[in-house]
Amino acid sequence: MGKSFDIGLERLTGTGVPRIGETQDGGVKPPLHNAGRQEAGATLVASFEEKNRTLKGAGCGTHDSEGSTFYLETFGCQMNDHDSEKVAGLLLARGYRQVDGPEAAKVILYNTCSIREKAAQKVFSRLGELRPADEQDGKSFNTEDTEREHRVHRDGRVLEKNHPSQRKIVNAGGGKIIGVLGCVAQQEGEGIFERAPWVSLVCGSASYRKLPQLIAELEAGNRRVTGLDTDTDETFETEITRRDNPWRAYLTIIEGCDKACSYCVVPFTRGPERSRASASILEEVRRLAEAGYSEVQLLGQTVNSYADPSARKMRFSELLAAVAEVRGIRRVRFTTSHPRDFGKDIVEAIEAHPTLCDHVHLPVQSGSTAVLRAMARTYSREEYLEKIGLMKAARRPISITTDMIVGFPGETEKDFEATLALLDEVQYDSVFAFKYSPRPNTPSLKMADAIPEEEKGRRLAILMDRQREIQRVRNERTVGETFEVLVDGKSRRENQWSGHTSSNRVLNFTSPEQELLGDYVQVKVVSAMPNSLVGEMVGRA
Ligand code: SAM
Ligand code: SF4
């Protein structure tokens, strides 16, 4: 693989782009994990246009598509966000210019998520907006965006979005190329051409390296192209990644998943586990540090199942330690960890390296061993609690967050109560809770005793109420404490800033300083809500 480098480094200020962790229509992204959120009012710090200009100024890559424009919208988790950063890098390097709306784009790409039914529907809603006039034959095509996502935030709000689309219908005529990328592409394959004949490109994540070639084939006159292999040994690394955040860099270290949880589409849509060689990861981290990034976030569907394919055979905990020691890196996060592969060595690495953030996202899914067995999660409630015990015994406090699914087929009231009791026992700092959504090809699709939607909704509401109260109490205990914060947002209101603590809490604070974005500062907490803290800056870190 050629030497790769990164160009999203500039500390530019600007508005008009989605906030970190949000979809472009302002909705909240579902997790791979919960890192990287920003509070309302904070602004992101680089605009697409500015970054594109910078790239062109850098004179990198070939410019064989000079003048062409692309629009790329991303749904789903951080892995999708990061894949999109790499896709954008690929296209920018070939002379494409990124625009922030489909109207002005020659190539329109949707990087999709199919983890739950409503997430998958969303792309068809977007495609409906692009239907060309000659396809408007009276067939109904849903353009309502009805995705609902639920998260208990630390400020107690239950974020639920259900925003009917107010979006403009864009006529896809005029030679536009419309492509569906990611999990829906992999899952639906060529079926997408039947549902939306104005789509001409369908490409899963394992084939993204081929994207420029696929687009070139369409430009040369091919009507439809696909990239749907999943059996590649390659991880998706590009020569140029156009990173969205100027301080925090995502870095995928393992692709795919071999775990086969009975409800989950990921093994079908992202293929088998493939890890990236440790030396290549460390080289990229060093380059990121030199380029001014101070936080790296190692990504994988099961990041801690990392298996170094090189002769070095670094364990995940050794890799964490090595990344933590890279000069210039002040924070290292990793997500998502699978409980089966979570061991004492990871906790020991966190204890030994203050650079490793004191936060672990460890999805449990259910508090009932019977449900965990039906989910094929490979651990019991007790085994999961042992892993939690390792973290609770650590020499510095580790913030623990999780994912939960309610209403899995056969989940009894007693099973659900076991999940609620787990909340009380573990005392999570944040929980992403989902109603079970039946997915194609998954074993749980055929399981008996489906739970009615209404009952799933009831259980979800109870769970979130319980968790909100836990977060309120836990956050109130931090009042009076001082935390180091990486400042990543500036409010429109004067003297108002926001950032994240090492434990990934959002801390909104006041400071009369003029320029703090990207800096590490000390902030004293003066009040707390279930989802965020409020404080005042007391010094530089
Ligand atoms: N690999 C991670 C793990 O094992 O925990 C999770 C990755 S998945 C992208 C994120 C979360 O989506 C899962 O933890 C689970 O809670 C949720 N999820 C996955 N499939 C689901 C389904 N069919 N219905 C509802 N939620 C689902
Ligand atoms: Fe899906 Fe399970 Fe793999 Fe996570 S571990 S991605 S939930 S199959």
Side-chain angles (χ1 to χ4, degrees):
M1 190 182 304
K3 187 174 180 315
S4 65
F5 63 102
D6 181 272
I7 48 109
L9 318 174
E10 299 70 29
R11 288 160 199 249
L12 305 168
T13 45
T15 52
V17 287
R19 282 177 281 144
I20 300 164
E22 294 195 346
T23 56
Q24 299 207 9
D25 52 9
V28 178
K29 279 185 169 299
L32 180 66
H33 79 131
N34 70 338
R37 314 285 162 195
Q38 273 188 290
E39 290 294 281
T43 54
L44 190 64
V45 285
S47 76
F48 290 126
E49 292 298 332
E50 282 165 313
K51 280 186 169 170
N52 292 345
R53 271 204 301 278
T54 312
L55 178 78
K56 286 187 176 265
C60 42
T62 57
H63 288 250
D64 37 44
S65 294
E66 192 74 51
S68 283
T69 48
F70 73 97
Y71 168 73
L72 173 58
E73 185 170 346
T74 311
F75 303 90
C77 62
Q78 278 88 351
M79 287 204 72
N80 272 11
D81 283 340
H82 187 37
D83 280 348
S84 284
E85 292 179 337
K86 293 189 258 182
V87 167
L90 266 183
L91 296 178
L92 291 165
R94 278 159 179 83
Y96 284 85
R97 191 164 57 83
Q98 188 165 9
V99 292
D100 58 7
E103 299 87 353
K106 171 84 190 332
V107 179
I108 302 171
L109 299 172
Y110 293 114
N111 187 4
T112 60
C113 169
S114 64
I115 198 84
R116 285 166 292 278
E117 168 66 17
K118 282 179 176 155
Q121 274 170 10
K122 206 180 313 189
V123 68
F124 289 103
S125 147
R126 287 288 191 278
L127 292 175
E129 296 165 1
L130 297 178
R131 180 171 34 176
D134 54 6
E135 294 276 353
Q136 296 186 7
D137 54 2
K139 269 185 274 170
S140 81
F141 206 101
N142 177 26
T143 58
E144 287 243 314
D145 198 350
T146 54
E147 164 79 326
R148 279 168 189 265
E149 289 152 2
H150 301 86
R151 297 198 300 142
V152 177
H153 273 244
R154 286 181 168 121
D155 68 0
R157 282 171 302 142
V158 175
L159 286 194
E160 174 186 311
K161 90 177 164 151
N162 182 15
H163 41 98
S165 177
Q166 306 283 318
R167 300 164 63 91
K168 222 162 75 189
I169 305 286
V170 179
N171 190 322
K176 285 183 193 287
I177 291 174
I178 299 171
V180 177
L181 313 181
C183 295
V184 173
Q186 198 68 54
Q187 188 177 291
E188 305 282 326
E190 296 186 3
I192 293 175
F193 297 138
E194 273 160 46
R195 261 179 99 172
W198 50 99
V199 171
S200 52
L201 184 157
V202 170
C203 183
S205 61
S207 305
Y208 285 162
R209 280 176 156 276
K210 287 193 203 148
L211 261 178
Q213 178 202 324
L214 295 175
I215 294 173
E217 283 172 25
L218 289 170
E219 285 171 342
N222 276 7
R223 216 173 132 239
R224 280 175 180 163
V225 291
T226 56
L228 294 168
D229 298 338
T230 50
D231 57 353
T232 163
D233 282 342
E234 270 183 10
T235 52
F236 174 44
E237 296 308 326
T238 61
E239 301 205 349
I240 297 177
T241 300
R242 195 246 32 209
R243 288 191 157 83
D244 284 331
N245 184 305
W247 312 291
R248 176 186 303 126
Y250 292 141
L251 216 135
T252 305
I253 65 164
I254 172 170
E255 301 264 11
C257 181
D258 287 345
K259 302 288 184 298
C261 300
S262 62
Y263 52 81
C264 185
V265 289
V266 170
F268 307 102
T269 58
R270 285 192 166 264
E273 283 174 10
R274 289 100 69 204
S275 295
R276 185 177 168 189
S278 53
S280 145
I281 296 169
L282 289 167
E283 194 197 320
E284 184 163 355
V285 175
R286 278 190 285 273
R287 264 197 318 271
L288 289 167
E290 278 162 20
Y293 287 93
S294 63
E295 179 175 317
V296 289
Q297 202 166 110
L298 307 180
L299 297 181
Q301 289 295 344
T302 52
V303 72
N304 58 329
S305 306
Y306 174 77
D308 187 358
S310 70
R312 220 162 152 188
K313 294 272 170 268
M314 247 189 189
R315 299 172 68 190
F316 176 65
S317 54
E318 292 168 334
L319 178 70
L320 282 181
V323 172
E325 278 166 16
V326 172
R327 188 194 291 262
I329 295 297
R330 293 185 65 161
R331 286 187 173 178
V332 182
R333 301 187 185 277
F334 54 96
T335 196
T336 294
S337 296
H338 191 285
R340 191 196 73 184
D341 297 331
F342 191 88
K344 196 157 185 269
D345 57 330
I346 298 176
V347 177
E348 285 168 352
I350 294 174
E351 284 178 326
H353 298 274
T355 313
L356 295 178
C357 288
D358 30 311
H359 170 223
V360 171
H361 186 65
L362 199 66
V364 64
Q365 314 300 357
S366 169
S368 151
T369 296
V371 174
L372 289 172
R373 203 171 291 131
M375 289 177 163
R377 282 294 286 183
T378 72
Y379 53 84
S380 63
R381 175 193 175 96
E382 289 66 35
E383 284 163 339
Y384 178 84
L385 283 170
E386 278 171 28
K387 314 278 172 161
I388 296 293
L390 295 174
M391 288 187 272
K392 299 258 178 193
R395 286 198 295 275
R396 67 179 153 118
I398 296 178
S399 173
I400 307 168
T401 57
T402 201
D403 294 345
M404 286 181 165
I405 297 176
V406 297
F408 189 76
E411 182 188 70
T412 61
E413 195 57 38
K414 206 164 149 242
D415 291 323
F416 178 58
E417 275 163 21
T419 296
L420 295 179
L422 191 80
L423 293 182
D424 296 339
E425 190 163 351
V426 177
Q427 296 281 303
Y428 294 106
D429 280 320
S430 185
V431 171
F432 294 89
F434 308 101
K435 289 192 275 183
Y436 166 71
S437 169
R439 305 307 295 126
N441 304 319
T442 57
S444 62
L445 190 62
K446 298 200 179 85
M447 284 181 187
D449 301 325
I451 308 293
E453 275 305 304
E454 203 182 321
E455 178 58 16
K456 286 186 206 169
R458 187 188 72 85
R459 291 182 190 180
L460 187 64
I462 293 172
L463 187 149
M464 288 191 296
D465 275 354
R466 180 84 70 107
Q467 178 58 23
R468 186 186 305 118
E469 181 55 15
I470 290 171
Q471 288 176 204
R472 190 188 62 75
V473 173
R474 288 184 64 75
N475 277 355
E476 273 177 7
R477 283 193 204 130
T478 67
V479 173
E481 280 187 59
T482 296
F483 293 100
E484 183 195 80
V485 163
L486 166 57
V487 186
D488 51 21
K490 181 173 177 17
S491 169
R492 286 180 191 90
R493 274 175 294 155
E494 213 181 329
N495 298 343
Q496 297 284 326
W497 303 83
S498 75
H500 286 80
T501 65
S502 168
S503 64
N504 208 35
R505 286 185 162 88
V506 173
L507 217 169
N508 299 307
F509 65 97
T510 49
S511 166
E513 302 261 347
Q514 289 306 301
E515 185 46 77
L516 285 177
L517 286 169
D519 290 353
Y520 288 80
V521 299
Q522 296 288 337
V523 179
K524 185 170 180 187
V525 179
V526 294
S527 64
M529 290 171 285
N531 182 48
S532 62
L533 308 175
V534 178
E536 53 199 31
M537 180 173 153
V538 291
R540 295 228 167 223

